[in-house]
């Protein structure tokens, strides 16, 4: 420090020139030449220093600072220079004043690292951070006259450290809570770090995995490919993805998709690897099912194709190629209507409307057109196709070629018709022979009529069987046919569906014919007020049938003195052919016929 003209020469920087300008002579501190020696000494230390320094003088804490400090107070420079601190540090004065007074009043040095201060130095509020060292400026008598503050703004570093810390915390949270297993291993495969999810995937505790080699939990069949990719990563730094199996602690296998990436040291050398494992066991199961399904579809003898809602064909199996004559490459992308005969074009919109609601279409018989124009009979079923979100996006159609069956049915119908015709002719011939053979006497004629009626009952039973498969007929149909010659209002009929086998149909038809004939001659059907109740119950589990014919409202019934052919037929034939027993009760109120039978399963 030197002086001339009574002035102090401090230096060449802006603040030094500001002090030397002479404008200070009337300031709070007065001319610098008259400052106390201790203040001059402090300023002399402060101004040339490269450290950020501010000093506060006197009880008003008048602020003086150097060039490096000026940026820390922003827009307040140079207004704050030489003025009481309270004027320019008002927003943080409640925080700053106690620190300054502590030094001023006790002489104690106050120091702190990364101390926060609330300040509005750039016109907006912010919290800034400083390393601070506040020490006393003493005069010759050791009296504290001011506070010498060496500071270092650490705001950028603190914010960077906090951002890094928050980033690390977020990263740790992501790693610890990730749905993927995350691990770290050496180039030799030694496990160095794993997250909770990795432990869950392989079924080990963290401490059990640390130090274990990744090879120890890898399925042997996957080792060769893993070693090859690992070696390439170590040599080239190339990351890789691999689907592999881990052996869990309990011995079970878990499929994972492993992404392995290199970790480099500060010199760029690969020294470790990061492993991200995603459990894909369920996906592999689905893929296996899909592969099996694709194999089934490909090898199916039924034609299977897929369409979208624009009726465009999207899928086509080999059986479809055989049935329709189109190769997959020439039909996929075409309209499915190319397969539909002109007279059945209305079928497709109806089918698709049902499919859009998620309702499958039950198999039904229809016709489709081949590439060569020939029509083919098919049994067609249609089901909805769903996307991964469960939305219906199209339909699958399965067509079973029933041409051979339809031809066989047509042939069978011709043969059955011919057989039916010939059996009818046999019945007619037998009837004619009976008429010619028996005498013309009244009694003989009545016998012939009864014989003809019984043959007719057999013929009607034959008709019922001919309408089906020649093996079975519905009990209700047998009853309905037997009572058809009489007024329907004279009968009360009820019972569940029951299928009778061939012999039971014939014998029950004859029995009901005999019961009806007798009722018309002597019983309930011989008078206008008579009613016949026909009811039955059936147990599907045991095959037990309970059948009851009961007459009421007719003439009083007397027990016959002799049993005729009809009665014997009802009791004996039914018992023999229906695996049970039948009983006729001559109740005075009306004849009752009870049949108890066990129906054998039809084959």
């Amino acid at each position: 420090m030197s002086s001339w003209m009574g002035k102090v020469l401090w230096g060449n920087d802006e603040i030094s020139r500001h002090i030397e300008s002479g404008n200070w002579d009337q300031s709070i501190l007065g001319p610098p030449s008259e400052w106390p020696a201790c203040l001059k000494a402090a300023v002399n230390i402060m101004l040339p220093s490269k450290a950020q320094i501010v000093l506060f003088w006197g009880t008003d804490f008048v602020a003086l600072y150097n060039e490096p400090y000026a940026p820390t107070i922003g827009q307040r420079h140079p207004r704050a220079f030489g003025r009481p601190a309270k004027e320019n540090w008002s927003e943080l004065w409640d925080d700053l004043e106690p620190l300054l007074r502590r030094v001023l009043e006790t002489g104690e040095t106050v120091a702190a690292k990364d101390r926060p201060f609330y300040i509005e130095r750039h016109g907006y509020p912010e919290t800034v951070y400083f390393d601070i060292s506040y020490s006393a400026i003493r005069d010759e008598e050791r009296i504290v006259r001011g506070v010498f503050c060496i500071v270092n703004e650490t705001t950028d570093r603190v914010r960077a450290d906090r951002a890094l810390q928050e980033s690390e915390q977020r990263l740790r949270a992501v790693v610890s809570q990730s749905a993927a297993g995350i691990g770290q291993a050496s180039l030799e495969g030694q496990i160095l770090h794993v997250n909770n999810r990795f432990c869950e995937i392989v079924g080990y505790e963290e401490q059990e995995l640390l130090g274990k080699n990744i090879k120890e939990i890898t399925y042997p069949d996957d080792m060769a490919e893993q070693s090859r990719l690992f070696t390439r990563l170590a040599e080239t730094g190339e990351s890789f993805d691999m689907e592999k199996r881990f052996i869990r602690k309990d011995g079970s296998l878990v499929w994972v998709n492993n992404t392995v990436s290199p970790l480099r040291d500060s010199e760029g050398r690969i020294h470790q690897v990061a492993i991200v494992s995603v459990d894909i066991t369920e996906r592999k199961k689905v893929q296996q099912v899909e592969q099996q399904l694709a194999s089934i579809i490909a090898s199916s003898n039924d034609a299977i194709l897929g369409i979208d809602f624009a009726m465009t064909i999207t899928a086509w199996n080999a059986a479809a190629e055989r049935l329709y004559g189109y190769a997959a490459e020439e039909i996929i992308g075409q309209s499915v209507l190319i397969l539909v005969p002109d007279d059945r074009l209305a079928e497709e919109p109806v089918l698709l409307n049902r499919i859009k609601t998620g309702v499958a279409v039950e198999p039904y018989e229809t016709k489709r057109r081949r590439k060569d124009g020939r029509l083919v009979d098919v049994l067609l079923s249609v089901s909805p196709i769903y996307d991964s979100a469960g939305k219906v996006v199209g339909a699958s159609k399965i067509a079973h070629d029933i041409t051979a069956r339809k031809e066989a049915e047509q042939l069978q119908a011709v043969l059955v018709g011919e057989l039916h015709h010939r059996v009818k002719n046999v019945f007619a011939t037998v009837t004619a022979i009976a008429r010619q053979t028996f005498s013309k006497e009244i009694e003989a004629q009545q016998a012939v009529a009864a014989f003809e009626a019984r043959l007719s009952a057999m013929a009607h039973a034959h008709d019922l069987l001919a309408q089906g498969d020649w093996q079975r007929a519905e009990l209700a149909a047998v009853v309905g046919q037997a009572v058809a010659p009489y007024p329907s209002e004279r009968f009360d009929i009820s019972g569940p569906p029951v299928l009778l086998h061939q012999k039971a149909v014939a014998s029950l038809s004859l029995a009901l014919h005999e019961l009806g004939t007798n009722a018309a001659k002597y019983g309930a059907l011989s008078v206008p007020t008579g009613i016949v109740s026909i009811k039955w119950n059936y147990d599907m589990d045991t095959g037990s049938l309970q059948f009851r014919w009961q007459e009421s409202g007719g003439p009083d019934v007397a027990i016959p003195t002799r049993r005729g052919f009809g009665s014997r037929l009802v009791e004996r034939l039914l018992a023999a052919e229906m695996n049970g027993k039948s009983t006729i009760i001559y109740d005075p109120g009306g004849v009752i016929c009870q049949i108890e039978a066990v129906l054998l399963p039809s084959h």
Side-chain angles (χ1 to χ4, degrees):
M1 180 178 66
S2 59
S3 65
W4 79 104
M5 299 292 289
K7 296 206 175 166
V8 180
L9 181 63
W10 302 101
N12 294 320
D13 60 88
E14 178 188 356
I15 291 178
S16 296
R17 291 195 301 272
H18 180 62
I19 296 175
E20 296 165 2
S21 66
N23 295 331
W24 283 81
D25 293 353
Q26 304 303 319
S27 69
I28 295 175
L29 297 179
S33 59
E34 298 179 3
W35 288 355
C38 59
L39 176 56
K40 291 179 182 178
V43 172
N44 189 48
I45 295 171
M46 176 186 72
L47 288 179
S49 176
K50 299 302 182 182
Q52 299 170 346
I53 301 175
V54 58
L55 67 83
F56 297 97
W57 184 258
T59 56
D60 289 335
F61 300 109
V62 176
L64 299 173
Y65 49 83
N66 65 358
E67 283 278 329
Y69 180 82
T72 69
I73 59 173
Q75 298 172 353
R76 291 167 178 169
H77 172 71
R79 184 178 73 249
F81 195 87
R83 299 302 302 167
K86 187 175 182 179
E87 293 181 6
N88 293 286
W89 279 271
S90 57
E91 76 277 6
L92 75 157
W93 189 241
D94 289 342
D95 184 22
L96 180 59
E97 183 186 21
L99 299 177
L100 298 178
R101 291 205 177 278
R102 179 177 169 187
V103 177
L104 189 66
E105 294 173 0
T106 67
E108 178 184 351
T109 296
V110 174
K113 299 286 288 184
D114 297 328
R115 192 185 190 287
F117 291 94
Y118 172 82
I119 194 169
E120 298 176 4
R121 58 185 175 178
H122 297 299
Y124 56 84
E126 60 179 319
T127 298
V128 295
Y129 299 86
F130 288 89
D131 291 343
I132 63 172
S133 176
Y134 294 179
S135 57
I137 302 174
R138 298 176 185 271
D139 61 15
E140 294 82 354
E141 298 177 0
R142 304 295 296 167
I143 298 173
V144 179
R145 302 289 300 279
V147 181
F148 193 82
C149 304
I150 301 174
V151 301
N152 176 39
E153 184 171 2
T154 60
T155 302
D156 290 343
R157 180 182 60 75
V158 170
R159 289 175 179 171
D161 287 348
R162 289 190 174 179
L164 179 60
Q165 184 180 20
E166 290 172 358
S167 176
E168 289 176 345
Q169 289 174 345
R170 286 195 296 270
L171 180 59
R172 282 194 295 270
V174 168
V175 170
S176 64
Q177 300 173 20
S178 174
I182 300 176
Q184 194 171 331
S186 69
L187 291 179
E188 292 72 34
Q190 184 182 20
I191 299 173
L192 305 174
H193 172 74
V194 289
N195 69 346
N196 290 336
R197 179 57 183 149
F198 193 96
C199 296
E200 291 173 358
I201 290 173
V202 297
Y204 286 90
E205 297 293 332
E206 181 180 0
Q207 293 305 314
E208 294 176 309
L209 286 172
L210 297 181
K212 188 184 289 289
N213 196 290
I214 201 75
K215 297 177 182 178
E216 298 178 53
I217 60 172
T218 298
Y219 189 60
D221 289 358
D222 299 331
M223 276 302 307
E225 180 66 5
Q226 176 177 283
S227 298
R228 183 186 71 81
L229 294 173
F230 217 89
T231 300
R232 188 179 69 182
L233 179 147
E235 293 173 351
T236 66
E238 183 179 348
S239 300
F240 67 86
D241 285 333
M242 176 185 177
E243 291 186 357
K244 59 175 286 186
R245 285 156 288 187
F246 279 132
I247 305 172
R248 290 173 53 83
K249 185 177 180 179
D250 61 10
S252 62
L253 298 180
V254 56
W255 274 98
V256 297
N257 184 79
N258 249 19
T259 300
V260 184
S261 305
L263 297 176
R264 301 179 185 271
D265 60 18
S266 58
E267 298 180 1
R269 292 191 298 259
I270 299 172
H271 69 117
Q272 293 177 356
V273 294
I275 303 169
V276 178
S277 295
V278 177
D279 186 347
I280 59 170
T281 303
E282 290 304 317
R283 193 188 81 194
K284 295 296 285 188
K285 290 180 181 177
V286 171
Q287 287 177 348
Q288 185 177 11
V289 171
E290 288 176 345
Q291 290 170 356
Q292 292 174 342
L293 182 59
S295 176
I296 292 170
I297 290 174
S299 60
S300 174
N301 289 325
D302 288 333
I304 302 176
L305 60 96
I307 63 171
D308 60 22
F309 286 135
M311 292 192 286
T312 301
I313 297 172
T314 59
W316 189 262
N317 75 341
E321 184 173 334
R322 292 192 298 271
L323 177 62
Y324 296 116
Y326 290 96
E329 55 269 18
E330 65 178 321
I331 194 67
I332 290 179
Q334 299 289 329
S335 172
V336 74
L337 296 179
I338 197 173
L339 306 175
V340 183
D342 293 341
D343 61 344
R344 297 175 185 264
L345 290 176
E347 283 184 13
E348 291 301 312
V350 174
L351 293 177
L352 285 183
N353 285 335
R354 292 194 62 188
I355 292 299
K356 286 178 181 178
T357 65
V359 177
V361 177
E362 294 298 324
Y364 71 100
E365 294 182 4
T366 186
K367 290 183 180 293
R368 287 295 179 261
R369 181 188 293 117
R370 288 173 44 85
K371 183 179 179 180
D372 59 12
R374 182 167 58 87
L375 296 182
V376 58
D377 289 295
V378 296
L379 181 66
L380 188 67
S381 59
V382 189
S383 302
I385 296 175
Y386 298 90
D387 64 11
S388 58
K391 180 182 177 182
V392 180
V393 294
S396 67
K397 308 180 77 174
I398 301 176
H400 180 69
D401 186 355
I402 57 172
T403 303
R405 196 197 80 191
K406 297 294 285 187
E407 291 175 350
E409 287 177 353
Q410 291 174 359
L411 178 60
Q412 182 183 29
V414 171
L415 293 176
V416 168
E418 180 63 21
L419 177 62
H420 188 52
H421 175 69
R422 295 191 179 192
V423 170
K424 287 284 191 181
N425 287 342
V426 170
F427 280 128
T429 301
V430 171
T431 300
I433 292 172
R435 288 174 179 170
Q436 293 298 321
T437 301
F438 294 123
S439 68
K440 302 298 183 179
E441 296 178 2
I442 298 300
E443 187 175 334
Q445 290 177 356
Q446 291 175 347
V448 170
F451 180 68
E452 289 179 357
R454 287 165 182 156
L455 280 180
S456 177
M458 289 292 292
H460 289 321
H462 172 271
D463 288 339
L464 285 177
L465 292 169
Q467 292 169 11
D469 58 3
W470 285 94
Q471 299 299 318
R472 295 163 298 181
E474 271 285 346
L475 173 56
V478 174
V479 171
Q481 191 179 72
V483 303
Y486 311 104
S488 59
E489 65 271 13
R490 306 292 296 278
F491 293 89
D492 178 15
I493 302 172
S494 66
V498 181
L499 277 177
L500 299 177
H501 56 78
Q502 185 181 34
K503 291 183 178 180
V505 170
S507 57
L508 185 60
S509 294
L510 281 174
L512 292 175
H513 165 74
E514 295 298 327
L515 290 170
T517 300
N518 289 335
K521 288 181 177 180
Y522 315 113
L525 298 181
S526 66
V527 296
T529 58
I531 296 293
V532 177
S533 170
I534 304 175
K535 299 184 183 298
W536 65 90
N537 290 306
Y538 180 62
D539 187 333
M540 294 182 61
D541 295 331
T542 63
S544 175
L545 174 67
Q546 304 290 327
F547 185 94
R548 184 181 180 89
W549 168 294
Q550 183 170 1
E551 301 177 25
S552 61
D556 291 341
V557 176
I559 299 175
T561 57
R562 66 181 183 87
R563 300 178 69 79
F565 172 77
S567 299
R568 292 194 301 273
L569 182 147
V570 170
E571 291 182 337
R572 295 177 184 176
L573 184 60
L574 283 178
E577 300 296 349
M578 297 186 68
N579 194 30
K581 65 178 182 178
S582 58
T583 305
I584 298 178
I585 302 171
Y586 296 98
D587 186 90
V591 171
I592 300 173
C593 178
Q594 294 185 154
I595 302 171
E596 297 178 6
V598 177
L599 300 182
L600 298 177
S602 300
H603 297 287

